[in-house]
Amino acid sequence: MSAAGEANFPTMIIPRGTEIRVNAHGQLSIKTPGNLVIQNSGIYSEIESTNGSIRIEENVTVEAVSIRAGQACFIQGTLTAWRVHAKRIALEDRARAFIMLQESEHLELAKTARLVGNFANEKELYLMMGKFSPQLKELPGAMDMGGTQPQHREISDRPTTMKIPAMNVTAQPAADDEHLRAAQLLLDREMTRPDLTAPEAEALRELVFALRERNTQRVALIWRDVLSELRSRSDGFRQAHDHLDQAFAR
């Protein structure tokens, strides 16, 4: 090939310390110590820049289970990911991101960018899914993120990129309704406390909502975690804890 012909092709440099693997589903895993720029669409298992930043360029569509950047993750194209961890996540003009778990100190969105998901941890995600479990059951098995029509394709057409971990919920005994009512009254009063942080207030609202709806399965799933994270150890919270403990006593 002539020198002129070779000049039409970009040069790829693989820095020392880079790891590139392919899993059983044919998905790439890339781990590099420096900056990483993705210029071609693809399906990945893990993408990691241990010390630098990751950039997904315009008109590029990336699907990944996990993305980790030591510095920033810049998105110009489209990203679908289960988890993105970076000091800074920036969606530039017309960028689209579908991120279930977003772990960053700073999140920046351009006016024309779109972000879907954005849960801080698995607990937030599970609480939301628990609230809308009837709607989730009605969803089609496959959906194109870029459109509104379900894709009726065989599962074997394409390896699964992401799987939401199953929630193993054991069967709960019948709850004592008197104790549930008592816990609800106590927590209704505690919700007005001015010293609650925003995350504490939100978690407490989730629990009170489930108590009001008498959604005993949901209450049984979340009440211990919610109350254990409250910094306040008031008499009201302690009494509510005791009532809920007795309500679901085996």
Side-chain angles (χ1 to χ4, degrees):
M1 181 178 293
S2 66
E6 292 177 354
N8 293 328
F9 295 94
T11 299
M12 178 178 178
I13 299 174
I14 301 178
R16 184 177 289 105
T18 297
E19 300 176 12
I20 300 176
R21 302 184 303 275
V22 179
N23 66 13
H25 299 291
Q27 300 167 334
L28 279 175
S29 290
I30 300 175
K31 181 179 180 180
T32 185
N35 297 327
L36 178 62
V37 178
I38 302 177
Q39 297 180 325
N40 286 328
S41 300
I43 301 173
Y44 300 83
S45 175
E46 298 178 357
I47 302 173
E48 181 175 359
S49 169
T50 54
N51 300 309
S53 297
I54 296 172
R55 177 179 293 277
I56 298 170
E57 294 202 334
E58 191 175 3
N59 298 322
V60 172
T61 299
V62 170
E63 296 183 19
V65 177
S66 173
I67 291 182
R68 298 183 65 88
Q71 297 301 320
C73 179
F74 300 100
I75 304 168
Q76 292 179 307
T78 300
L79 170 66
T80 302
W82 172 257
R83 185 191 302 270
V84 177
H85 178 93
K87 291 182 179 178
R88 173 186 171 204
I89 298 176
L91 275 68
E92 301 180 12
D93 287 339
R94 295 182 296 279
R96 293 195 304 167
F98 304 88
I99 301 172
M100 295 305 295
L101 300 174
Q102 179 263 122
E103 301 169 346
S104 67
E105 298 175 10
H106 304 283
L107 177 63
E108 302 173 8
L109 275 73
K111 290 184 178 180
T112 57
R114 183 185 177 204
L115 174 64
V116 178
N118 199 30
F119 292 92
N121 51 53
E122 283 88 348
K123 183 181 294 184
E124 284 188 359
L125 175 60
Y126 294 165
L127 289 173
M128 181 64 73
M129 286 186 168
K131 179 182 289 188
F132 295 107
S133 57
Q135 286 78 11
L136 288 171
K137 291 177 182 177
E138 297 174 1
L139 290 178
M143 182 72 75
D144 180 8
M145 292 301 223
T148 58
Q149 296 299 321
Q151 292 182 347
H152 300 288
R153 298 184 300 178
E154 295 296 328
I155 295 177
S156 59
D157 285 352
R158 171 176 162 186
T160 301
T161 302
M162 293 177 291
K163 291 184 178 179
I164 297 175
M167 291 182 288
N168 297 320
V169 181
T170 57
Q172 299 292 337
D176 187 316
D177 198 54
E178 290 297 324
H179 285 296
L180 292 179
R181 278 199 292 270
Q184 179 191 329
L185 291 173
L186 288 163
L187 294 178
D188 275 333
R189 290 196 294 266
E190 295 296 321
M191 280 183 62
T192 62
R193 293 176 61 96
D195 59 331
L196 292 176
T197 65
E200 288 174 333
E202 178 61 27
L204 192 56
R205 278 194 293 270
E206 293 284 345
L207 177 56
V208 171
F209 177 84
L211 283 166
R212 290 173 181 169
E213 296 294 315
R214 287 297 179 267
N215 187 342
T216 56
Q217 184 178 19
R218 180 164 172 73
V219 174
L221 177 66
I222 69 174
W223 77 267
R224 289 186 184 277
D225 286 337
V226 170
L227 295 184
S228 67
E229 290 188 357
L230 297 174
R231 293 180 302 176
S232 172
R233 291 295 179 264
S234 68
D235 289 340
F237 284 137
R238 282 193 289 269
Q239 291 175 35
H241 183 284
D242 292 343
H243 280 296
L244 289 170
D245 191 44
Q246 294 182 60
F248 294 101
R250 295 182 182 277

